[in-house]
Amino acid sequence: MKLYVEKDYEAVSRKMARLVAEKVKEKPNLIFCLPAGASPIGMYQCLVEMYNNKEISFKDMITYDMDEYVGLTPDHEQSYAYFMQKHFLKYVDVKPENVFYPDGMAKDLDAMCKEYSEEIFAKGGLDLAITGIGEDGHIAFNEPANALKTRTHYVELDESTRKNNAHFFGGNLDLVPRKAITIGMEDIMKSRLFLVVASGTKKAKLIKKTLEEEVLDPMWPVSFLRMHSNCIFVIDEAAAALTDTAVLEKYKKER
């Protein structure tokens, strides 16, 4: 595992964008597992700026959304399919036929999830995946559990997750879906490059727990990323503030 500690959220976003751009330039048709949420928005803005400056093209890139709410259509303003268009896809030259996302309205969710995983591996698997860290240590919507599911599946969302996401729904918890589709741990752990982003003081305890504790714990899903052969954490100084300096230096030296 590797670590970059940047000054602030803006610097984190620029670093993430540069890492993504490097991979796209190495492999223009890479398969990119796109994350939603507040953490990657700055990165998407940087990537759009790079595209507008003709520094990069995404015309051959293939995208798979990391997760989706059950019961929301792609044109719903709080769906993650809508989020990707709003913050990234509609501003760059990704071909519509190369954009894939879980169907939150599928009648048979199990069959849809199985097909989603199989499609990814039929194309060769993920080249790049990015995630933030949930307050309970979840990545994508792989919530804490006694055992983590390996492939794309749907989950009952923890109340803490729903409460944390309520601000996207005007603060009304009743509007937050109770179920979501998420790419599974095996699907994302097999990504050739995995980037983790965290910034701000609210993430400091999460980063401390993730980096300092050695146990792999399904009740803290992000801990499994320490097993990934090519995982990079990109965090800011505020998120790193509570973590032991020696631990930070250890992971910085692994770059």
Side-chain angles (χ1 to χ4, degrees):
M1 198 179 81
K2 307 171 187 177
L3 174 69
Y4 289 95
V5 180
E6 305 294 330
K7 181 180 179 181
D8 52 24
Y9 178 72
E10 183 180 349
V12 165
S13 298
R14 289 197 301 269
K15 182 63 179 180
M16 294 284 289
R18 286 196 296 271
L19 291 170
V20 171
E22 287 172 7
K23 296 304 294 182
V24 174
K25 290 175 180 178
E26 288 174 14
K27 185 181 180 184
N29 66 336
L30 94 167
I31 300 176
F32 187 2
C33 188
L34 298 175
S39 295
I41 289 177
M43 175 197 70
Y44 289 135
Q45 291 171 341
C46 291
L47 289 172
V48 171
E49 182 179 348
M50 294 171 75
Y51 169 74
N52 289 335
N53 291 336
K54 303 187 185 305
E55 298 174 41
I56 192 169
S57 170
F58 302 98
K59 66 182 180 64
D60 296 319
M61 189 171 73
I62 300 168
T63 71
Y64 280 86
D65 284 10
M66 185 167 281
D67 38 28
E68 183 57 276
Y69 287 116
V70 171
L72 298 190
T73 59
D75 59 353
H76 189 288
E77 290 188 359
Q78 296 307 327
S79 77
Y80 290 151
Y82 185 94
F83 175 98
M84 297 308 172
Q85 294 292 334
K86 177 181 178 181
H87 293 288
F88 181 47
L89 295 176
K90 74 175 183 178
Y91 301 108
V92 298
D93 57 347
V94 177
K95 298 172 184 174
E97 61 266 29
N98 285 343
V99 174
F100 300 92
Y101 46 83
D103 182 2
M105 301 300 292
K107 292 182 179 179
D108 188 336
L109 288 173
D110 286 323
M112 185 278 299
C113 289
K114 182 174 184 292
E115 182 179 353
Y116 198 72
S117 282
E118 289 176 348
E119 271 190 18
I120 291 172
F121 286 103
K123 289 183 171 69
L126 299 173
D127 294 298
L128 172 62
I130 298 177
T131 187
I133 307 174
E135 296 297 323
D136 56 4
H138 74 256
I139 54 176
F141 275 129
N142 290 286
E143 301 277 27
N146 292 327
L148 299 176
K149 292 187 178 181
T150 59
R151 309 305 295 273
T152 298
H153 57 284
Y154 67 93
V155 298
E156 295 280 349
L157 295 176
D158 286 351
E159 283 304 293
S160 62
T161 300
R162 295 182 65 243
K163 288 177 181 178
N164 287 333
N165 288 354
H167 67 280
F168 293 113
F169 293 83
N172 189 342
L173 184 62
D174 292 336
L175 297 180
V176 182
R178 296 184 178 275
K179 295 181 181 180
I181 300 154
T182 181
I183 194 165
M185 290 297 290
E186 178 183 350
D187 295 343
I188 49 177
M189 285 292 285
K190 287 186 175 179
S191 175
R192 294 171 184 85
L193 173 62
F194 206 129
L195 303 179
V196 183
V197 57
S199 66
T201 56
K202 289 184 178 180
K203 299 294 183 179
K205 289 183 179 179
L206 308 182
I207 290 297
K208 178 180 176 64
K209 179 179 177 67
T210 300
L211 298 187
E212 291 187 4
E213 295 186 6
E214 295 294 330
V215 177
L216 301 178
D217 185 0
M219 294 302 293
W220 194 253
V222 69
S223 66
F224 282 80
L225 296 188
R226 290 199 300 266
M227 295 176 60
H228 195 282
S229 61
N230 192 20
C231 180
I232 302 174
F233 278 64
V234 184
I235 66 177
D236 66 6
E237 293 174 357
L242 298 181
T243 303
D244 185 86
T245 301
V247 173
L248 295 174
E249 292 303 316
K250 169 192 170 184
Y251 287 120
K252 286 180 183 179
K253 288 178 182 178
E254 292 188 3
R255 294 204 300 266

